[in-house]
Amino acid sequence: MKVLEGKSVFSGISIGKISILQKMDTSVKRVHIDDTAAEIARVEEAKGKAVAQLQKLYDKALQEVGESGAAIFEVHQMMLDDDDYLDSIHNIIENENVNAEYAVATTGDNFSAMFAAMDDDYMRARAADIKDISDRLVRVLSGFGDGGLDAEEPVIVVAEDLAPSETVQLDKSKVLAFVTRKGSSNSHTAILARTMNIPALINIEYDESMNGQMAIVDGRSGSLIVDPDEETLKKFQDMRDEELRQRAMLKELKGKKTETRSGRSLHLYANIGSVGDVANVLANDAEGIGLFRSEFIYLEKDNYPTEEEQFQIYKTVAQNMAGKKVIIRTLDIGADKQIDYFQMEHEENPAMGYRAIRICLDRPEVFKTQLRALFRASMFGTISIMYPMIISVKEVQQIKAIVEEVKNELTEQGIPFRDDVEQGIMIETPAAVMISDLLAKEVDFFSIGTNDLTQYTLAIDRQNAKLDNIYDSHHEAVLRMIQMVVDNAHKEGKWAGICGELGADTTLTERFVEMGLDELSVSPTFVLPVRKIIRDMD
Ligand code: PEP
Ligand code: MG
């Protein structure tokens, strides 16, 4: 038995086998090869494996998002069989006497540059696909899996670090807990763990030999117990059973009002990242969805999701919520959420860089596609739209102008939409807080993103594990800002809520009620604990 100490970013106990995810180093070296025929045979073998991976992805996507969302994996399979593509790989191996990885990567770069230079929009978009299939082939040739979990049973996922694009690929039903060497409490892996209600640890110094071993993740103390002895295992199994009993007790609050004894109330909504999370929202009896992080739709794909694909997703969420409020945040990528096909340049300081609404205003065609899908879906429930990372009134006015264009186009095309869709902004920057009196005149509501607001107020990168202990959302500066935003919203008759992680901090629930917040949107698993505190208040 070995006990590794780390830091807990979400509590709970999980018991199961460890599965270490390999960090994929796909940087390719040029190596001299004498036996070129054997190298070509390696390419053929790798191609077979890549096609099988894509078939699996196709089947999964078909079930989860339907035919149109799955089609891309079929296209990728066809591309891997393209004669010109394969001839180029074979030629490079034979003419230059080089290894398969190098030939595939070079062909991938050449072909994708060629596609990127084409006039036709559709063909230009294929550049990212070529890059994607080449990366996949290189990964297979280098002995890496497809980045997914091979396990039959649910496992404890252990990794160096997990980017949102990696977690999105994981089959969530196979994950018992997240354990990483790096990462921070505010990373999206931590947020995902909260949504899934599974423990997560960071700063764990694991070693590769632990792969496949039985372990306990103790999200209370922050330790990973590898190969536990019988007595320890029994103790933790009992603790886990007790945890399940506690959760069952909270379920008794389902259907009850979120109201203090004296009748003060607020709206208690839940945060989601995909259609799949809606079941969790309903199971935990949230009154609505206060934050749908729509960027996960983009992260899951190899290319821009179409208007139709997005429309289907927003419509499904709205319908499943059966008229309850669904606040969908427009695309918030950049910073830690990078997407290859957006082809964004490397930035020294991405958290303060080209991200969120800045990208949408700079690439209106991407923004308009999403807005069209949102307005069309508004016919199927109560959808509100929320814009992230706002710093100025001018941005809001630019957004309004684009929204007007979208509405006019839909009207001209005879496509129905609701004209009264509520539109609000996230308050995540000190700039937005300081001008919240002006912004309140422009929008229908404010939702405070305390994760970023803390980062920008305290000048602490939320991804920087070294600074985790001083990243303090309870800082008086952050709490005063929240109060200021609430007061400025109310002066204009608008509502204000919190959708950052702080909203679920039960040590502050009473204070939030006193501050006059109108809404809290929390991970689904926190809905009932927060409701309990509010119901116990006078
Ligand atoms: C926030 O910043 O508080 C927020 C809710 O947005 P995200 O965590 O997705 O950046
Ligand atoms: Mg944010």
Side-chain angles (χ1 to χ4, degrees):
M1 181 164 105
K2 197 164 180 186
V3 182
L4 305 177
E5 301 294 347
K7 182 174 176 209
S8 169
V9 291
F10 191 58
S11 189
I13 291 165
S14 277
I15 303 171
K17 283 203 176 131
I18 289 179
S19 173
I20 299 182
L21 286 191
Q22 296 287 347
K23 196 74 203 162
M24 293 182 230
D25 176 9
T26 47
S27 58
V28 167
K29 292 193 182 61
R30 183 187 170 114
V31 180
H32 179 87
I33 295 290
D34 288 322
D35 188 354
T36 53
E39 217 51 21
I40 289 175
R42 281 184 66 221
V43 174
E44 284 307 305
E45 196 192 335
K47 195 187 89 183
K49 286 188 184 163
V51 167
Q53 287 177 356
L54 288 162
Q55 186 59 41
K56 261 201 204 162
L57 286 173
Y58 175 84
D59 293 342
K60 182 168 177 263
L62 192 64
Q63 273 192 352
E64 290 177 2
V65 288
E67 181 70 44
S68 61
I72 188 67
F73 299 116
E74 221 173 17
V75 173
H76 279 195
Q77 292 185 31
M78 273 155 36
M79 284 175 143
L80 274 172
D81 253 334
D82 181 76
D83 283 343
D84 293 333
Y85 178 72
L86 291 172
D87 284 350
S88 163
I89 296 172
H90 296 174
N91 267 329
I92 293 177
I93 293 176
E94 281 173 343
N95 292 340
E96 301 180 36
N97 278 89
V98 287
N99 53 325
E101 290 85 342
Y102 177 80
V104 170
T106 307
T107 301
D109 288 347
N110 293 346
F111 272 57
S112 100
M114 177 172 80
F115 277 97
M118 288 183 173
D119 283 338
D120 183 285
D121 278 353
Y122 177 81
M123 296 310 272
R124 250 202 318 274
R126 301 284 72 77
D129 294 317
I130 291 279
K131 186 91 188 60
D132 216 51
I133 58 161
S134 305
D135 286 350
R136 181 177 295 283
L137 262 189
V138 169
R139 283 201 298 270
V140 175
L141 283 164
S142 316
F144 292 122
D146 61 358
L149 291 172
D150 296 332
E152 294 293 318
E153 300 272 294
V155 288
I156 296 168
V157 173
V158 177
E160 190 63 22
D161 199 359
L162 282 165
S165 57
E166 290 168 315
T167 47
V168 104
Q169 306 232 359
L170 296 174
D171 176 351
K172 310 288 180 297
S173 64
K174 298 263 177 73
V175 185
L176 290 172
F178 291 115
V179 175
T180 58
R181 197 190 309 269
K182 297 190 183 139
S184 73
S185 333
N186 316 294
S187 64
H188 281 87
T189 307
I191 294 174
L192 184 65
R194 278 170 215 139
T195 305
M196 292 169 64
N197 204 7
I198 56 172
L201 311 179
I202 57 172
N203 302 346
I204 293 284
E205 288 299 332
Y206 64 91
D207 66 65
E208 302 293 319
S209 69
M210 292 169 182
N211 200 18
Q213 293 210 40
M214 192 67 184
I216 299 167
V217 178
D218 181 1
R220 303 170 183 210
S221 67
S223 49
L224 178 71
I225 306 167
V226 184
D227 190 20
D229 57 39
E230 289 248 328
E231 195 188 331
T232 312
L233 192 59
K234 173 84 180 60
K235 187 177 101 191
F236 276 91
Q237 276 165 342
D238 289 349
M239 268 158 52
R240 191 188 49 187
D241 292 349
E242 174 56 26
E243 218 173 69
L244 294 176
R245 266 195 297 278
Q246 293 282 349
R247 271 186 217 168
M249 253 166 64
L250 278 175
K251 296 271 177 240
E252 287 178 10
L253 290 177
K254 283 177 71 169
K256 302 255 165 71
K257 283 191 179 156
T258 306
E259 192 174 81
T260 66
R261 291 199 189 99
S262 59
R264 285 179 295 169
S265 66
L266 52 68
H267 295 293
L268 195 47
Y269 297 155
N271 297 348
I272 64 165
S274 70
V275 179
D277 294 338
V278 177
N280 232 346
V281 173
L282 297 172
N284 286 285
D285 196 34
E287 280 172 58
I289 290 170
L291 167 65
F292 178 0
R293 290 183 162 94
S294 71
E295 57 275 9
F296 282 92
I297 300 169
Y298 295 71
L299 277 160
E300 268 170 29
K301 296 192 55 82
D302 295 327
N303 214 327
Y304 296 97
T306 62
E307 176 185 323
E308 188 58 29
E309 283 164 348
Q310 294 192 59
F311 165 67
Q312 291 299 343
I313 293 170
Y314 305 143
K315 175 180 157 190
T316 307
V317 174
Q319 283 179 328
N320 290 355
M321 290 301 290
K324 292 184 184 140
K325 195 186 289 254
V326 177
I327 304 178
I328 303 176
R329 170 173 80 185
T330 58
L331 182 63
D332 181 11
I333 55 156
D336 62 321
K337 290 176 250 170
Q338 295 291 335
I339 301 180
D340 284 351
Y341 59 83
F342 272 77
Q343 300 187 329
M344 298 197 288
E345 283 165 22
H346 171 78
E347 292 178 297
E348 285 305 320
N349 198 350
M352 292 205 193
Y354 187 60
R355 59 172 295 196
I357 201 68
R358 300 170 186 179
I359 298 177
C360 288
L361 292 175
D362 189 48
R363 302 189 186 182
E365 66 296 347
V366 175
F367 194 30
K368 280 172 83 170
T369 303
Q370 180 169 35
L371 289 170
R372 282 178 62 96
L374 287 166
F375 275 99
R376 284 174 57 196
S378 68
M379 295 298 288
F380 298 88
T382 311
I383 285 182
S384 304
I385 306 177
M386 169 160 90
Y387 306 101
M389 280 295 293
I390 297 297
I391 57 167
S392 69
V393 171
K394 188 168 160 222
E395 280 171 339
V396 177
Q397 285 164 347
Q398 284 174 314
I399 293 167
K400 281 184 175 172
I402 295 175
V403 166
E404 267 326 289
E405 271 177 46
V406 165
K407 285 183 174 179
N408 288 340
E409 284 167 19
L410 289 172
T411 309
E412 272 165 31
Q413 292 161 352
I415 300 173
F417 64 93
R418 274 176 59 169
D419 207 20
D420 60 349
V421 172
E422 198 187 30
Q423 292 178 72
I425 55 171
M426 290 194 66
I427 302 285
E428 316 185 78
T429 62
V433 174
M434 297 311 291
I435 59 164
S436 50
D437 55 337
L438 305 177
L439 290 167
K441 296 185 202 303
E442 303 283 336
V443 299
D444 298 321
F445 66 91
F446 289 152
S447 186
I448 307 172
T450 48
N451 309 337
D452 277 315
L453 185 59
T454 305
Q455 147 166 279
Y456 297 123
T457 303
L458 305 186
I460 294 176
D461 178 357
R462 66 193 259 197
Q463 300 295 323
N464 189 334
K466 243 197 195 137
L467 302 176
D468 225 19
N469 55 340
I470 55 167
Y471 174 97
D472 175 19
S473 297
H474 287 222
H475 194 293
E476 198 50 36
V478 177
L479 297 176
R480 285 189 199 180
M481 284 189 173
I482 295 173
Q483 186 69 69
M484 186 169 173
V485 171
V486 172
D487 292 345
N488 281 334
H490 290 175
K491 276 183 206 146
E492 293 297 329
K494 309 294 166 67
W495 67 263
I498 296 180
C499 65
E501 296 304 294
L502 194 68
D505 188 328
T506 46
T507 65
L508 286 174
T509 308
E510 290 199 38
R511 184 143 178 202
F512 291 148
V513 174
E514 307 294 351
M515 281 177 158
L517 276 145
D518 305 287
E519 177 241 26
L520 293 175
S521 189
V522 300
S523 293
T525 45
F526 277 107
V527 169
L528 296 175
V530 172
R531 178 173 295 162
K532 176 158 177 31
I533 294 189
I534 295 178
R535 288 179 62 85
D536 287 345
M537 276 178 75
D538 287 329

